[in-house]
Amino acid sequence: LQSIGDAVITTDTQARITYLNPAAEKMTGWCNGEAVGRSTSEVFRIVMGNTDEPAPCPVENVLVSGCASGLPQSAELVRRDASRIAIEDSAAPIHHSNGDIAGVVIVFHDVTEAREMSRNISYQATHDALTDLYNRRAFERYLADALYKADANNPIGLLFLDLDQFKIVNDTCGHFAGDELLKQIAHTLKKCLRADDVFARLGGDEFAVILEQCPPQNALQIAEALRQDICDFQFAWDDKAFSVGVSIGLVQSDGQHTLSDLLKAADSACYMAKEKGRNRVHVYEETDVELIRRSGEIGWVARIEKALSDNRFTLYAQPIEPISSSAETRETHYEVLIRMTDEAGNSVPPMAFIPAAERYGLMHRVDRWVIENTFNLMESSSYAAAPFAVAINLSAMSINEEGLLPYLREQFSSRKINPHNVIFEITETSAIANLTQSSRMMRELKSVGCRFALDDFGSGMSSFAYLKNLPVDYIKIDGSFVKDMAHDPIDREMVASINNMAHVMDVKTVAEFVESEDILRHLRRIGVDYAQGFALGVPIPVTEIHNRPRRAA
């Protein structure tokens, strides 16, 4: 008992202390000589950590029942100096040789750190790391509970909010500015809500609010107050000021909706708020879903089809720079990106038309346009004078398209292109969802010299398990781990773990969302091979690549 790590206290049948080992002395604050003869409740004083109420004494339970006993999970020991530590314990009877109970032995240990870690993990599982609001998972759980309790006398209101100018800030000033804007918006909106309202960030620039026991008129007033607060809000960054609007969809329920129908209705209402001019509140109507389906399909299909036929797309490129002396090459390569120009000559951001192209079955045609025009660039005289590797994104639709491999084989056989200078990027989720097809396509194209990069690596739950089945040359570490790693040790460890595993498998690493010199320093220290982000270069038209000044490694 003197040398074991756990704290040990023994008592007699009157629940008086007979012995404390050194670990128990240290944890309780009582020395053995002072504690002996005192009541257990005086020396081993325990309370419930969540209520501060006295916890049931395990010694008394053992003396009454004759069986072993333990403490509730939230129990805390109040030490002699009134400080508290979380503990776990077990108490068991001590028997005479004739079987009678001679006393009780308590064995306990400090679980403060483990319990705090458990609380942190639980908190992180339900909260958005950036804004500290509830995340989508917690939001849907709260919504299901609110829907279950709702009735005609206690209706609920559900708000979906989508910022109107977020992409301008993100594209103009970078992801750090975008993140700061989201944090400030979350803080601003919180002040308009009631204490019991559930406020969540669903992802990107989308938020949601659950209003329990809220009549329709009250819910509309709250929604309008939120909209007005955003209108009055000014975001400042690097001597620039931005105004931000918000489109809000509102749906009411008296508990007759399913969770899925309610979410779909709120999403539809938010969409209609945008379609009707943005920066407004739209209350859901039954016709909204059908209107959106028809207008969305007809509108986006027609716009993308027309842009393809009119050749109204433009190739941009963002550098991927070597940052480690261990990289096998010191040459910069470029990820090819696509921009669409609408009929009025305005640039359409990729996240506006790419999801639509994927949703309506046009993404494989967009991919073909990118491949064909990238290969045209690689056959140009300017490229031949100073060749570089290009990374081309392939969508899940293209991966599953039977005609892709024959098309690419024909391109490589008919053009003067070095396949080694072509790196195809596939997202981790697409690769895993189409594992057999992805693996087969990779092996066939690698046989002619192409290389492959696995994009957004780390976003899936089974990343490492699947990696060994995919013959990739690079993995691009998901930007959500990279962008905060300069001040988040957990993100740094994630990046280091991914980097180490990749190197064990002889795969090079690329860090995305690298937007500061601090992040670069950490990446170099870890040994990541390449970096991509605003700190190294913004996307530029491919025609300007040869004019771009080179950065020192």
Side-chain angles (χ1 to χ4, degrees), residues 36-318:
V36 170
R38 294 179 182 270
S39 68
T40 304
S41 60
E42 184 180 1
V43 176
F44 187 64
R45 183 181 160 210
I46 47 177
V47 297
M48 304 298 292
N50 50 357
T51 65
D52 289 342
E53 294 292 323
C57 179
V59 172
E60 294 174 3
N61 291 340
V62 171
L63 291 174
V64 171
S65 67
C67 301
S69 180
L71 281 175
Q73 286 190 345
S74 64
E76 294 182 357
L77 172 67
V78 181
R79 306 176 73 237
R80 192 174 186 180
D81 62 2
S83 62
R84 286 157 57 159
I85 54 176
I87 61 169
E88 287 182 353
D89 90 332
S90 61
I94 302 171
H95 292 280
H96 288 298
S97 57
N98 63 2
D100 292 341
I101 293 179
V104 176
V105 58
I106 311 168
V107 180
F108 58 101
H109 58 276
D110 186 349
V111 293
T112 302
E113 186 174 338
R115 199 171 288 173
E116 181 63 24
M117 184 178 296
S118 176
R119 275 195 292 264
N120 287 340
I121 291 172
S122 177
Y123 186 87
Q124 290 168 11
T126 57
H127 286 74
D128 173 56
L130 179 66
T131 61
D132 212 30
L133 301 177
Y134 287 114
N135 60 18
R136 179 181 286 273
R137 178 181 177 186
F139 159 76
E140 291 187 357
R141 190 173 71 241
Y142 278 111
L143 181 59
D145 183 59
L147 196 57
Y148 177 78
K149 294 184 293 185
D151 56 33
N153 296 319
N154 295 292
I156 64 170
L158 176 60
L159 307 178
F160 267 25
L161 300 86
D162 194 315
L163 301 183
D164 292 331
Q165 305 298 331
F166 175 72
K167 286 183 174 62
I168 292 177
V169 176
N170 223 31
D171 293 345
T172 304
C173 303
H175 293 287
F176 281 140
D179 286 352
E180 181 59 30
L181 170 59
L182 292 174
K183 287 190 283 189
Q184 291 187 22
I185 288 289
H187 179 72
T188 298
L189 294 180
K190 259 185 180 179
K191 294 183 292 186
C192 288
L193 297 172
R194 304 171 304 175
D196 294 334
D197 294 335
V198 175
F199 186 22
R201 180 187 176 208
L202 303 184
D205 59 345
E206 296 178 343
F207 299 85
V209 181
I210 303 170
L211 306 169
E212 291 196 71
Q213 299 183 1
C214 192
Q217 190 56 39
N218 292 12
L220 184 57
Q221 288 174 356
I222 292 172
E224 284 290 354
L226 294 175
R227 187 196 64 77
Q228 189 59 52
D229 264 27
I230 296 300
C231 280
D232 296 340
F233 173 78
Q234 284 277 315
F235 177 68
W237 187 269
D238 285 346
D239 298 325
K240 299 184 182 74
F242 298 88
S243 296
V244 184
V246 63
S247 299
I248 303 178
L250 166 61
V251 60
Q252 294 280 335
S253 178
D254 58 2
Q256 301 304 307
H257 294 83
T258 66
L259 179 64
S260 175
D261 286 345
L262 195 61
L263 291 169
K264 189 182 298 182
D267 189 51
S268 299
C270 187
Y271 180 94
M272 293 304 293
K274 284 186 172 292
E275 285 293 292
K276 291 184 174 182
R278 300 175 182 266
N279 193 31
R280 66 185 60 225
V281 177
H282 179 82
V283 181
Y284 174 75
E285 299 172 5
E286 293 296 332
T287 56
D288 287 352
V289 173
E290 180 62 18
L291 283 172
I292 289 168
R293 187 189 69 79
R294 286 166 51 198
S295 65
E297 289 177 358
I298 294 169
W300 271 114
V301 168
R303 290 178 69 184
I304 296 170
E305 291 268 13
K306 191 74 166 60
L308 285 167
S309 65
D310 293 348
N311 202 34
R312 280 191 284 100
F313 289 99
T314 307
L315 291 181
Y316 276 63
Q318 186 172 31

Side-chain angles (χ1 to χ4, degrees), residues 196 222 278 354 419 423 454 530:
D196 294 334
I222 292 172
R278 300 175 182 266
I354 285 178
I423 304 167
L454 197 59
Y530 294 87

Side-chain angles (χ1 to χ4, degrees), residues 200-493:
R201 180 187 176 208
L202 303 184
D205 59 345
E206 296 178 343
F207 299 85
V209 181
I210 303 170
L211 306 169
E212 291 196 71
Q213 299 183 1
C214 192
Q217 190 56 39
N218 292 12
L220 184 57
Q221 288 174 356
I222 292 172
E224 284 290 354
L226 294 175
R227 187 196 64 77
Q228 189 59 52
D229 264 27
I230 296 300
C231 280
D232 296 340
F233 173 78
Q234 284 277 315
F235 177 68
W237 187 269
D238 285 346
D239 298 325
K240 299 184 182 74
F242 298 88
S243 296
V244 184
V246 63
S247 299
I248 303 178
L250 166 61
V251 60
Q252 294 280 335
S253 178
D254 58 2
Q256 301 304 307
H257 294 83
T258 66
L259 179 64
S260 175
D261 286 345
L262 195 61
L263 291 169
K264 189 182 298 182
D267 189 51
S268 299
C270 187
Y271 180 94
M272 293 304 293
K274 284 186 172 292
E275 285 293 292
K276 291 184 174 182
R278 300 175 182 266
N279 193 31
R280 66 185 60 225
V281 177
H282 179 82
V283 181
Y284 174 75
E285 299 172 5
E286 293 296 332
T287 56
D288 287 352
V289 173
E290 180 62 18
L291 283 172
I292 289 168
R293 187 189 69 79
R294 286 166 51 198
S295 65
E297 289 177 358
I298 294 169
W300 271 114
V301 168
R303 290 178 69 184
I304 296 170
E305 291 268 13
K306 191 74 166 60
L308 285 167
S309 65
D310 293 348
N311 202 34
R312 280 191 284 100
F313 289 99
T314 307
L315 291 181
Y316 276 63
Q318 186 172 31
I320 300 174
E321 300 273 15
I323 60 170
S324 169
S325 58
S326 64
E328 65 181 9
T329 174
R330 304 307 301 155
E331 294 179 355
T332 297
H333 58 281
Y334 292 84
E335 179 181 359
V336 175
L337 307 167
I338 187 170
R339 301 288 188 268
M340 175 179 165
T341 305
D342 66 17
E343 292 86 344
N346 300 312
S347 179
V348 181
M351 289 316 295
F353 69 85
I354 285 178
E358 290 174 335
R359 188 179 305 122
Y360 303 125
L362 295 171
M363 197 61 215
H364 66 293
R365 292 182 56 191
V366 175
D367 285 350
R368 289 282 184 99
W369 189 96
V370 172
I371 292 169
E372 180 177 348
N373 284 273
T374 301
F375 285 3
N376 289 342
L377 166 73
M378 297 177 74
E379 284 190 313
S380 67
S381 57
S382 62
Y383 177 86
F388 50 84
V390 293
I392 302 172
N393 290 280
L394 290 180
S395 65
M397 186 174 294
S398 289
I399 294 171
N400 286 324
E401 185 197 1
E402 289 296 328
L404 179 66
L405 274 172
Y407 168 76
L408 288 172
R409 289 195 205 99
E410 190 277 329
Q411 291 289 312
F412 285 125
S413 65
S414 63
R415 292 175 178 265
K416 295 179 180 178
I417 293 172
N418 181 356
H420 186 70
N421 284 342
V422 178
I423 304 167
F424 288 111
E425 287 195 10
I426 301 174
T427 65
E428 178 193 352
T429 49
S430 295
I432 291 173
N434 309 278
L435 190 60
T436 302
Q437 181 72 6
S438 300
S439 181
R440 183 175 74 86
M441 182 192 67
M442 287 183 184
R443 294 182 194 284
E444 290 207 28
L445 290 176
K446 281 175 70 69
S447 69
V448 301
C450 296
R451 290 176 283 173
F452 278 87
L454 197 59
D455 200 7
D456 298 338
F457 187 83
S459 59
M461 294 299 291
S462 305
S463 303
F464 292 127
Y466 287 107
L467 181 58
K468 60 185 179 183
N469 296 313
L470 295 168
V472 298
D473 303 277
Y474 307 90
I475 61 171
K476 301 186 75 173
I477 302 170
D478 189 78
S480 63
F481 301 123
V482 177
K483 64 187 180 69
D484 293 324
M485 64 179 290
H487 56 267
D488 189 328
I490 296 176
D491 282 346
R492 279 200 299 276
E493 285 303 315

